[in-house]
Each structure stands twice: as structure tokens, then as C-alpha cells.
Amino acid sequence: MTLRILGAGVMGLALATELTARGHAVELVDPAPAPGPHACSWWAGGMLAPFCEAETGGEIVARHGQPALDWWDQHTGLTHRAGTLVLTLARDSGERLRFARRTTGHRTLDADGIAALEPDLAGRFASGLFYEAEAHLSPRAALAELRARLLAQGVAFHTAPPATQPDLVIDARGLAARDQLADLRGVRGEMLVLRCPGITLSRPVRLLHPRIPLYIVPRGDGVFMLGATMIESDRRGAVTVRSVLELLSAAYALHPAFGEAEVLETGADARPAFPGNLPALRRRGGTLYANGLYRHGFLLSPAVAAMAADHLETGTIPDFMDEAPT
Ligand SMILES: Cc1cc2nc3c(=O)[nH]c(=O)nc-3n(C[C@H](O)[C@H](O)[C@H](O)COP(=O)(O)OP(=O)(O)OC[C@H]3O[C@@H](n4cnc5c(N)ncnc54)[C@H](O)[C@@H]3O)c2cc1C
């Protein structure tokens, strides 16, 4: 049985990896020859944060996101398991209490606890939340690693569909699949990459704010990914002045050293999302659609890939993955 996967973003690569590991024959088709800025996955922060993401995504995201840490370890070896630190400015402490109530897997830190974890933030925050069991990775390195391992196992990557007929098509084209999935929408995310040798962070830090929640993900060597806006729009063009102002202001509030940072890169893309902001698997004839990863492409693609493989082997699709087809 030959499975043809359309799309080599994080969803397509996770599907190919999981299916190959289970002994299925797959091929990938993507007009782009390698991971790059054409794909939403290129712009991601790479936070593997099942507990923090439950704040908006609920228990289902926490449950299905937790196995992602081991999955990425196993298939890339690139996971940093250093947890997530969640902070607020003093005036926004109500946000921290609200966030704590809506999530699990955290403990409260005082100023000394924060300083012990992140010495460069010493004296800046009186209290915070630490999600010890979370992790992060570099999305670009992880995509490249999945692709390299698949190539090494003989999986074919095509830039156009081969003439042969596959037994099943798995459509993982992200937002491009809107031509088949009418309820798929874009949620625009903007980000920056900064170089700031003046500060060292060992883990993603989230700064809660009623209007501009910010996160900073360390990439090593003084480089940080700063994200991300959440705008109901499928526009993929350049970042806006307003978004850059808001993101950089929040970074400066986290630590004034960011005022001296170099802006290495700005980027934006539209996250593919269904109305409930949860991924879905939909089977229509000879095509299985795997889409709607929203802000959880790296967190939930391993679970979606496992459910897609289960579907091929047993015919099942879990209820929550099978939203009303359109
Ligand atoms: C700023 C930002 C920050 C984010 N941070 C995080 C994070 O920290 N953690 C997390 O888990 N998620 C994060 N996300 C979300 C994540 O990036 C997305 O959920 C994920 O990239 C969606 O992956 P995908 O494979 O479905 O789509 P894409 O990555 O867009 O891949 C789709 C692929 O399909 C290909 N394609 C298009 N048309 C065709 C065709 N006709 N035939 C074949 N192939 C085709 C494209 O070339 C592309 O390679 C973030 C997103 C943004 C924008």
C-alpha cells in the first residue's frame, strides 16, 4: 500500500515519520524542495508547552500534547527539556492568577526562585509560575532533521505528484487545503528573531499581558525568537509596525537589555485553524485530511500523526478529531 502525503510542513513530516516507523510505505509531495519560509512551520517558536497551552486549548491539548516531548526526542534528538517560566509585570498579577487557575503542572516561584532559574531576570519579578515538564526545540532544525532521517530511510520527496496512483492520499497542505476544507481559516502570527548577547535565558519565558501576551524562546548563542501575534486574518505578508512595536515593547519590559538587541529577522504566516482551534482528521473517499494545527503544529502533530496511523490500521478516528465535515 502506497501512501502519498501532500505537504512537507511539520504535519506532513510528522505523518511520514510516524507511518515509516510503523512500517508503511510513504512518499511526500511538496512544491518546495526543502523546509523554508513558504511553510507556516518555519516561523514557529517551537514551544512544546502542553500545560501552558491548556490555558486556551483546554485539557485535550494538555493530554495529547504531552507525548510530543518524547516523540521529538526520539525522532530528532533536538528537544531541550528546561520547562517554561511564566511571568507578569506587577500591575498584571491578576493575569498570572488567572493563568494559574486555568492550567496544571506548575509551581509558584518567588523572586529567589526566578533568580535561581534565570539569573539574568534576578530582581525584576516578584513572582512567577514554573512549568517544569515542558520543553522547546528549534523548528527549523527539527524540520531539517525529520527530512534528513526520512531521506536516509529511502523515503522519496517529490516537487510534483508522480504519475503513479497511490492507495491513499494524506492531505497535509496546511492553509493551502482551504480549497477542500471550507471551514479552515488563517490566524496570523508575527515574530522576530533578535540577537542580544547581553542576556542569557535557558528556557522559554512567557510574559502575560491582557493585550499582548509575549513569549521569548532562546535559540542559543544570544539569539532569541520573539512571538507572537494572534490576529484573525489569513494575510501572510510582512509584519506590521503595530505588531513590531508591541512585541518589542513587551521584550523591553521583560528586560531592558533587549533594547540593545539586533533585529535579525521578522516574519509572519497564517496558522491553519478550524473553528474549534483543534486539529482534525477527515476521511473523504481516497483522501485523509490532517489539518487545523493552529498554534500547536509542533505540540500536536505527533498525536495527529499517531491517530492517522491508527486510522489506517484500524479504521478509527477519535471523536474529537472528526469535526463535522464540510
Ligand atoms: C509566529 C508563529 C509561532 C508559532 N509557534 C508555535 C509553537 O511555538 N509551537 C507550536 O507547536 N506551533 C507553533 N506555531 C504553529 C505552527 O507553526 C503551525 O501549526 C504549523 O506550522 C502548521 O503546519 P502544517 O504542516 O499544517 O502547515 P505548513 O507548515 O504551512 O506546511 C504546509 C506545506 O504544504 C505545502 N503545500 C502547499 N500546497 C501544496 C500542494 N498543492 N501540494 C503539496 N504540498 C503543498 C507547503 O509548501 C508547505 O510546505 C506557530 C505559528 C506561527 C505563525
Side-chain angles (χ1 to χ4, degrees):
M1 173 144 149
T2 306
L3 306 171
R4 177 173 298 165
I5 299 169
L6 304 182
V10 70
M11 188 64 254
L13 289 169
L15 283 161
T17 300
E18 181 68 25
L19 289 165
T20 303
R22 295 205 199 179
H24 298 282
V26 305
E27 60 184 16
L28 279 124
V29 179
D30 195 307
H38 59 275
C40 184
S41 305
W42 189 252
W43 304 107
M47 290 181 299
L48 301 175
F51 300 102
C52 286
E53 289 299 318
E55 189 244 345
T56 50
E59 182 274 338
I60 204 160
V61 169
R63 179 156 38 96
H64 292 287
Q66 285 175 62
L69 281 70
D70 285 342
W71 192 95
W72 284 105
D73 259 349
Q74 182 188 345
H75 294 292
T76 69
L78 295 174
T79 312
H80 300 278
R81 291 179 183 252
T84 304
L85 184 57
V86 175
L87 301 171
T88 48
L89 302 175
R91 63 169 190 250
D92 299 327
S93 58
E95 287 293 309
R96 188 184 63 251
L97 298 175
R98 192 186 58 78
F99 198 91
R101 273 199 304 275
R102 294 178 60 85
T103 56
T104 59
H106 55 78
R107 62 186 158 91
T108 301
L109 298 180
D110 61 11
D112 290 342
I114 294 169
L117 277 184
E118 297 290 1
D120 282 1
L121 298 180
R124 300 196 55 74
F125 297 91
S127 177
L129 302 171
F130 183 43
Y131 295 77
E132 192 163 10
E134 297 193 333
H136 66 285
L137 48 67
S138 163
R140 298 176 190 181
L143 295 170
E145 183 65 21
L146 288 187
R147 182 170 182 276
R149 290 192 185 194
L150 288 165
L151 283 169
Q153 293 172 85
V155 172
F157 284 72
H158 306 282
T159 51
T164 51
Q165 195 58 36
D167 297 292
L168 181 76
V169 171
I170 307 182
D171 187 327
R173 290 177 294 140
L175 205 54
R178 267 183 310 181
D179 58 3
Q180 299 297 323
L181 302 170
D183 57 345
L184 197 63
R185 73 186 200 285
V187 180
R188 179 172 162 84
E190 294 152 297
M191 54 79 87
L192 294 94
V193 179
L194 306 178
R195 178 182 289 125
C196 187
I199 181 165
T200 300
L201 298 175
S202 301
R203 56 191 49 77
V205 176
R206 294 180 181 226
L207 186 63
L208 304 181
H209 184 282
R211 208 161 39 85
I212 335 153
L214 163 103
Y215 58 80
I216 292 189
V217 187
R219 295 274 189 256
D221 296 327
V223 175
F224 299 87
M225 183 275 190
L226 180 61
T229 54
M230 295 279 292
I231 300 168
E232 286 291 333
S233 164
D234 54 12
R235 198 172 78 77
R236 304 184 67 204
V239 295
T240 64
V241 168
R242 178 197 300 274
S243 295
V244 171
L245 281 172
E246 290 181 345
L247 289 169
L248 288 178
S249 302
Y252 186 69
L254 183 73
H255 199 296
F258 282 110
E260 304 305 320
E262 290 171 63
V263 178
L264 298 182
E265 197 181 320
T266 61
D269 211 325
R271 308 169 180 92
F274 286 122
N277 293 334
L278 287 174
L281 282 175
R282 292 180 188 165
R283 179 75 186 253
R284 284 191 208 146
T287 304
L288 179 68
Y289 295 89
N291 215 315
L293 274 292
Y294 182 52
R295 52 183 280 157
H296 304 131
F298 287 79
L299 182 63
L300 292 182
S301 57
V304 177
M307 291 177 209
D310 291 346
H311 170 70
L312 297 180
E313 290 160 8
T314 66
T316 57
I317 292 185
D319 283 350
F320 86 94
M321 295 289 286
D322 195 11
E323 293 178 3
T326 55

